[in-house]
Amino acid sequence: MVDNPAVIRERLSGKRVAVTGATGFLGTALVERLLRAVPGCEVVALVRPGRRASAEERVRREILRNDCFHRLRDEWGDGFDAEVERRLTVVSGDVATDGLGLNEDDRLTLCSCDVVIHSAAAVSFDSPLDTAVEVNLLGPARLVGVLASSGSRAHMVAVSTAYVAGSRRGLSPEALLPDTPFSTEVDWKGEVDAARRARADTDAESRRPECLKRFAKLARAELGAAGAPVLAEKLERLRRDWVGDRMVEAGQSRAQGLGWPDVYAYTKALAERALLESRAHVPVTIVRPSIIESTLSQPHPGWIRGFRMAEPVIISYGRGLLKEFPGIPEGVLDVIPADLVTAAILAVAARGPEPAGPDVVQVASGARNPLRYRRLVDLVQEWFWEHPLYDAEGQPIVGPEWSFPGRGRVQRQLQRATKALSVAERAVTALPIRGRAAELPGHLENRRSQAERALGYVQLYGAYTEVEAVFGVDRLLALWHSLDDGDRAEFCFDPATIDWRKYVQEIHLPAIVASARVRTTPGGKTGANRAERGRRALLSKDRHIAAFDLENTLIASNVVESYSWLATRHLPADERVRFTLRTLREAPTLLALDRRDRGDFLRYFYRRYEDAPADRVQQDAWELFSQLILTKSFPAGFRRVREHRALGHRTLLITGSLDFIVEPLRPLFDDIVCATLDRDAEGHLTGELRSAPPTGEARALTMADYAASEGLRLEESIAYADSASDLPMLEAVGYPVAVNPEAKLATIARKRGWHVEQWSRSPGGPRPLMPIGPLLRSARVGARS
C-alpha cells in the first residue's frame, strides 16, 4: 500500500477516469461522484448503444436525467450542461463483444485514461449462463486486453463481489482467488466453451419437431383461434423463452454445483482469474463489495436505481405476499450502502496500484459492523407496523410473523402451491365462460404469480440469508486509517459509521417504498379510477377510428343463433324438436372448429345457406333483427358507437356475420365490413363466400387499409372485441378494449393492461334456450321446394 496518500480529490484531479457500466446502479453513482467530488478530473463513460439510441443518447436519458444528478444540477445551476460537455466524454462500446466494439478514436480515448473502473456487469442472479459468461466472466478480460494491446498503463479497478468466496464458512480474506483457502479450481476457458456449446445445443433442441409441436399446442391453448401469424409469433416467443429458461437453469445448476450461490458469483469468480491471466503489464486492483443497497448520504440519503436484492423481498413482505422466508436468524446479511462503495473505489483509484502486483480490497460490513438477519427482520417488521401498506380497499396490510424455516421446506411448500394453482388455472381457462365469470382465471393467475414470485425470491436470494462467511476488510480499514479528516468526511467508507436502525428505518425503507408505487395511505381512492381514466382516453377527440366486433361485443348472439332462428321459421313442432336436438348434438363439434380456426368454421357453417332464396332471406333478416338481435343487444355498446360518432370518430363494424344479418345496423356505423355469400343465376345463395371472411389477421389488414385510405392512424384508434381470436384486430390499434372477454382474452387483457368493458343486455327481455323462429318450411334456410 502507498504510504501517506494525498487527498483523494487532489490525487485524481487532472486525471482521466473511465467508467464502464455507467448506466447501471453503481456506474451512475461513480460518474456523479467523480463529476461532483473531484472537480479537476475528466470522466470517460463507456456505454453500450441501445437498439434505438446511441451511447450519447443513453447517457443523456439514463444517466444525466436520473435523480442521482439532482444535487449536482442544483450546485451547478445553469452551467450544468456546459460543465458536463466539458468534462464527460462518451465512448460507444460493449464489454460483451471482442475488442469491445470500439472504433479507433474511441479506443484511443479509452486507452489514454489514467484509471479505468470496470463496473459493467449482468447483475441479475438468474441471468442465462451464456449471457453471464460473456458479460461478467469475459468482460474484464476483454477490457484489460484492449488496454494491454495498446500499451496503456492505466490502473484498472475491477469491481467484483465478495460472494466469489462461495459457500465457505468463517473468514473470507482479501486475497486473490488462487491464494484463497477452499477456492474452487475451475478452468475458466473450459467454462466459456461449455456455456457457448450449451446455448447452441439448447437452441438446436428447441427446433426439434416434438418441441415445436409442444410450443404450437401451448400457443393455441393461450390464444385460441387468433390466426396463423399471431400463433406463429407466439410459438417463436415460447421457443426463445424456453431456450432462455434452460440457460438460466444451466447457470444455476453449474454455479451451485461448484459451491457458488448463483451464476453471478460464479462468473465473477472466474472473471477474476481470467483478468489476472490476461492483464499482461496492466496494473489491476479488484474491489469486492458485498450486497450493495441504497446510499447512506451521497448524493442524497436513500438514492437507489432499480430494485436490488432485498427490495423485492421487503416490499412483498409489506404487501403480505411472503408468509415465510428462510434464513439463519443469527447469520449476517452483509449489506453495504452504495456511496460507501463508490468512496472506497475512488480511494483505491487515488491510492494507485500496489507495487507488489494485483491486490484485493473488500467493501463489506459483516466483520466490522454486522447486521444480523433476525435484527433486519425485526427492524422491517417494526417499520411496517408503524407505516403499513394498504390494500385496494384502503385497509392496512398486517405483515406476517416469520419463523425462519429452512430453505428446502419453504421451496417445497411454494412448489406445491404453484403446481396446484397452475392446474386450476388451466382447467378454468378452458371453460366457455366470459364477462365477469372470466375474471376467475385472472384471480387464480394472480395467486399463482404470487407463489411463483415468492418461490423465485427464495431460490435466488435464500442462499444469501444463510451465508456464514465473514468477509475480511483489513485492507479496506488500512486504507481508511491512512486518510486525513477531510477525506474521511467527503469519502466515507468505514462500515462502522452505519447506524443500522437509522439506515434501515429512516433511509432505506422509506426510499424503496416511495419508489415501489405501492399504496401508503388509508381510505378509499380519490379521483378517477383506472376504468374511468381508460374510458376518458377512449372518448378523447384525438382518437381516429372506433372499430367494433359484433358477436358478444355488441350483441349476445352468434351466427349459429341467427341461422337457427331463420331455419326454424314455420316449421311444425316435431321438426323444431328434431332441429334443436340435431343442433345440440353438433354443438361440441362446431365449438371445437371455431376454436381451431374462425375462418374455417364460418366457411363450413355458411354452406347450410345453400339454395336459400336470397331476397326472401334478406326480408326475413329484418324480422330476425327486431325479434332476436335487438333483444340480445348491449345498450351500452350501441350507446358507445353513437358517442364515438358524435366525437367525429370514424365508426367501423368488422364482423364475420353475413351482410343481410347486419344490414339493419348500417345506419349506426360509417362503414361495415362483413361476410357475403355468392348467388347463383336464379337468385339463390350458394353457401360459398365471395372472399375470405374478415377474421383473425384479415381484420388487422382490413383496418390498416381502411386507415390508409381515410388518412387516419391506427395508433390513435380503438378496437372493441371479445375473443382471443380477435387479437390481431386489438393489437393493431393504440387503444384495445376487451368487451365481456372470454377467459383467454381476459387473461391477455389483464397482463397487457388493456381497458375492459362489461356490457350487459337490458333486463326483462326474452331468454329462450334455443333461438327458434316461426317461418321457413325446411331446416335448410329457404331451400327450393
Side-chain angles (χ1 to χ4, degrees):
M1 182 168 297
V2 176
D3 294 329
N4 302 316
V7 176
I8 292 174
R9 181 183 288 110
E10 293 178 0
R11 275 289 188 96
L12 293 178
S13 182
K15 298 292 181 67
R16 175 178 274 190
V17 182
V19 178
T20 71
T23 57
F25 175 41
L26 186 61
T28 297
L30 282 166
V31 171
E32 189 276 343
R33 198 152 192 181
L34 281 164
L35 291 174
R36 176 173 52 82
V38 188
C41 80
E42 179 187 345
V43 180
V44 175
L46 188 147
V47 175
R48 175 176 52 84
R51 292 181 180 177
R52 300 179 181 177
S54 66
E56 291 80 4
E57 289 169 334
R58 290 193 65 199
V59 167
R60 287 194 296 271
R61 185 171 61 242
E62 300 177 36
I63 300 179
L64 299 178
R65 293 180 186 174
N66 188 273
D67 60 350
C68 181
F69 282 78
H70 286 354
R71 174 177 172 180
L72 197 54
R73 285 182 177 276
D74 290 341
E75 292 180 1
W76 288 357
D78 294 339
F80 179 84
D81 291 337
E83 187 69 4
V84 167
E85 180 73 19
R86 183 178 71 85
R87 293 182 54 201
L88 178 63
T89 301
V90 180
V91 168
S92 179
D94 183 359
V95 299
T97 303
D98 289 341
L100 307 184
L102 298 169
N103 61 38
E104 184 60 22
D105 288 342
D106 285 344
R107 187 184 67 81
L108 291 174
T109 299
L110 177 66
C111 294
S112 68
C113 291
D114 302 287
V115 179
V116 176
I117 302 173
H118 178 60
S119 68
V123 297
S124 174
F125 293 170
D126 60 346
S127 295
L129 173 61
D130 57 321
T131 299
V133 163
E134 295 294 339
V135 177
N136 296 345
L137 196 165
L138 291 175
R142 290 189 178 109
L143 178 57
V144 81
V146 169
L147 297 175
S149 65
S150 300
S152 171
R153 299 294 299 179
H155 177 202
M156 180 170 170
V157 180
V159 180
S160 184
T161 173
Y163 289 92
V164 296
S167 57
R168 73 170 52 86
R169 298 177 179 179
L171 181 65
S172 176
E174 294 167 295
L176 299 174
L177 280 181
D179 302 322
T180 303
F182 313 116
S183 61
T184 306
E185 291 293 341
V186 181
D187 175 19
W188 66 268
K189 293 180 181 178
E191 296 298 297
V192 171
D193 292 340
R196 290 171 173 171
R197 285 198 307 272
R199 165 67 71 168
D201 292 346
T202 305
D203 188 80
E205 184 180 356
S206 73
R207 300 173 189 274
R208 295 176 61 179
E210 55 268 32
C211 284
L212 294 175
K213 288 178 182 177
R214 184 169 71 253
F215 300 145
K217 184 178 179 180
L218 290 171
R220 187 169 290 279
E222 180 176 338
L223 302 180
V230 174
L231 290 172
E233 181 182 351
K234 180 64 177 180
L235 182 153
E236 179 59 17
R237 192 157 57 245
L238 288 170
R239 188 193 68 80
R240 290 196 300 265
D241 290 347
W242 182 86
V243 173
D245 290 343
R246 298 292 84 72
M247 294 307 296
V248 168
E249 291 176 7
Q252 291 173 335
S253 298
R254 184 59 176 159
Q256 292 168 6
L258 293 173
W260 282 288
D262 50 53
V263 72
Y264 177 71
Y266 153 70
T267 49
K268 279 291 191 178
L270 297 186
E272 292 189 14
R273 298 175 186 180
L275 173 62
L276 295 177
E277 288 186 23
S278 308
R279 74 179 188 90
H281 60 271
V282 177
V284 168
T285 298
I286 296 171
V287 176
R288 294 180 186 154
S290 55
I291 300 169
I292 307 176
E293 291 293 349
S294 65
T295 57
L296 182 66
S297 62
Q298 295 198 40
H300 55 79
W303 176 76
I304 192 168
R305 180 164 197 170
F307 274 8
R308 318 313 300 167
M309 189 196 90
E311 289 70 45
V313 177
I314 290 173
I315 293 299
S316 294
Y317 170 83
R319 295 177 63 195
L321 302 180
L322 272 182
K323 305 304 180 184
E324 288 285 7
F325 202 79
I328 301 172
E330 64 273 20
V332 174
L333 191 64
D334 204 309
V335 171
I336 193 76
D339 48 341
L340 271 67
V341 178
T342 58
I345 291 173
L346 296 188
V348 167
R351 182 209 68 183
E354 284 282 21
D359 66 320
V360 174
V361 177
Q362 294 185 156
V363 191
S365 62
R368 175 82 162 158
N369 184 10
L371 174 62
R372 305 288 176 187
Y373 182 46
R374 178 183 289 279
R375 188 182 182 206
L376 174 62
V377 171
D378 289 343
L379 291 173
V380 170
Q381 288 178 337
E382 284 177 16
W383 192 86
F384 278 113
W385 180 259
E386 295 181 5
H387 309 87
L389 303 184
Y390 293 84
D391 61 20
E393 284 71 43
Q395 297 301 309
I397 300 172
V398 179
E401 288 284 340
W402 284 356
S403 60
F404 306 103
R407 185 153 43 115
R409 180 161 71 88
V410 177
Q411 285 187 200
R412 288 190 295 272
Q413 290 173 347
L414 291 171
Q415 285 167 345
R416 286 194 296 268
T418 300
K419 184 176 181 180
L421 289 167
S422 296
V423 171
E425 182 188 350
R426 286 196 300 269
V428 174
T429 302
L431 296 175
I433 55 177
R434 64 175 56 252
R436 298 198 183 280
E439 295 176 0
L440 177 57
H443 296 316
L444 290 171
E445 187 207 21
N446 284 339
R447 292 185 61 188
R448 175 183 57 79
S449 297
Q450 291 171 7
E452 287 179 344
R453 194 177 304 120
L455 178 60
Y457 294 157
V458 171
Q459 291 173 333
L460 284 179
Y461 308 134
Y464 288 84
T465 64
E466 297 176 344
V467 168
E468 297 183 75
V470 177
F471 306 116
V473 289
D474 293 343
R475 289 176 175 271
L476 179 77
L477 295 180
L479 182 58
W480 171 254
H481 292 311
S482 70
L483 302 180
D484 62 21
D485 291 341
D487 273 354
R488 292 184 184 183
E490 180 65 30
F491 299 95
C492 176
F493 54 83
D494 181 5
T497 59
I498 305 170
D499 178 338
W500 288 118
R501 175 176 290 276
K502 180 178 180 180
Y503 174 72
V504 171
Q505 296 190 337
E506 298 180 25
I507 296 175
H508 187 63
L509 289 177
I512 65 170
V513 167
S515 63
R517 298 181 181 178
V518 290
R519 191 169 182 183
T520 58
T521 55
K525 290 185 177 180
T526 59
N529 59 31
R530 180 178 177 179
E532 291 167 343
R533 293 194 300 271
R535 206 165 287 121
R536 280 205 299 261
L538 300 177
L539 296 176
S540 165
K541 290 184 178 180
D542 296 332
R543 304 291 85 81
H544 290 187
I545 302 170
F548 291 81
D549 179 34
L550 178 63
E551 297 172 0
N552 294 308
T553 300
L554 294 174
I555 61 173
S557 185
N558 54 55
V559 299
V560 177
E561 289 189 337
S562 298
Y563 172 80
S564 299
W565 195 95
L566 292 170
T568 55
R569 303 187 70 185
H570 278 184
L571 282 183
D574 57 339
E575 290 189 37
R576 288 189 185 185
V577 171
R578 285 195 291 273
F579 177 89
T580 301
L581 293 175
R582 266 198 318 273
T583 304
L584 290 174
R585 281 198 305 270
E586 202 177 5
T589 301
L590 295 175
L591 180 61
L593 181 58
D594 189 24
R595 286 184 171 182
R596 279 198 303 274
D597 190 291
R598 179 70 173 170
D600 288 348
F601 162 77
L602 292 177
R603 291 187 185 90
Y604 169 78
F605 190 81
Y606 284 159
R607 294 195 182 280
R608 297 167 191 238
Y609 283 94
E610 184 182 359
D611 288 340
D615 292 341
R616 186 167 157 190
V617 170
Q618 195 161 357
Q619 293 172 6
D620 293 342
W622 282 91
E623 190 172 350
L624 164 73
F625 178 75
S626 62
Q627 292 192 17
L628 177 70
I629 292 178
L630 276 183
T631 64
K632 291 199 164 192
S633 66
F634 302 139
F638 283 9
R639 186 162 55 248
R640 181 62 57 81
V641 179
R642 290 193 292 270
E643 287 177 314
H644 283 298
R645 292 197 76 175
L647 289 166
H649 305 160
R650 296 288 296 185
T651 54
L652 175 66
L653 178 66
I654 306 182
T655 176
S657 294
L658 293 166
D659 53 354
F660 51 80
I661 301 293
V662 302
E663 183 62 28
L665 292 172
R666 194 166 292 279
L668 191 62
F669 294 90
D670 291 306
D671 293 285
I672 293 179
V673 177
C674 59
T676 303
L677 293 175
D678 269 332
R679 303 185 185 190
D680 61 20
E682 299 177 12
H684 292 85
L685 300 175
T686 65
E688 297 178 359
L689 291 167
R690 287 184 183 173
S691 59
T695 62
E697 61 275 12
R699 294 190 174 192
L701 295 173
T702 297
M703 291 173 62
D705 292 342
Y706 183 83
S709 66
E710 299 291 334
L712 303 173
R713 294 162 52 199
L714 288 182
E715 59 267 29
E716 289 293 342
S717 299
I718 312 147
Y720 295 83
D722 71 291
S723 171
S725 63
D726 300 313
L727 264 183
M729 172 181 176
L730 293 168
E731 291 177 334
V733 299
Y735 297 86
V737 182
V739 179
N740 304 335
E742 43 87 37
K744 288 185 175 67
L745 182 59
T747 298
I748 294 168
R750 183 178 57 260
K751 289 179 178 178
R752 302 188 185 184
W754 289 353
H755 186 71
V756 176
E757 294 280 6
Q758 302 289 354
W759 293 339
S760 59
R761 296 166 56 183
S762 295
R767 283 173 166 76
L769 178 63
M770 286 288 293
I772 306 275
L775 273 184
L776 296 177
R777 298 193 180 111
S778 168
R780 177 174 288 173
V781 180
R784 300 177 196 178
S785 49

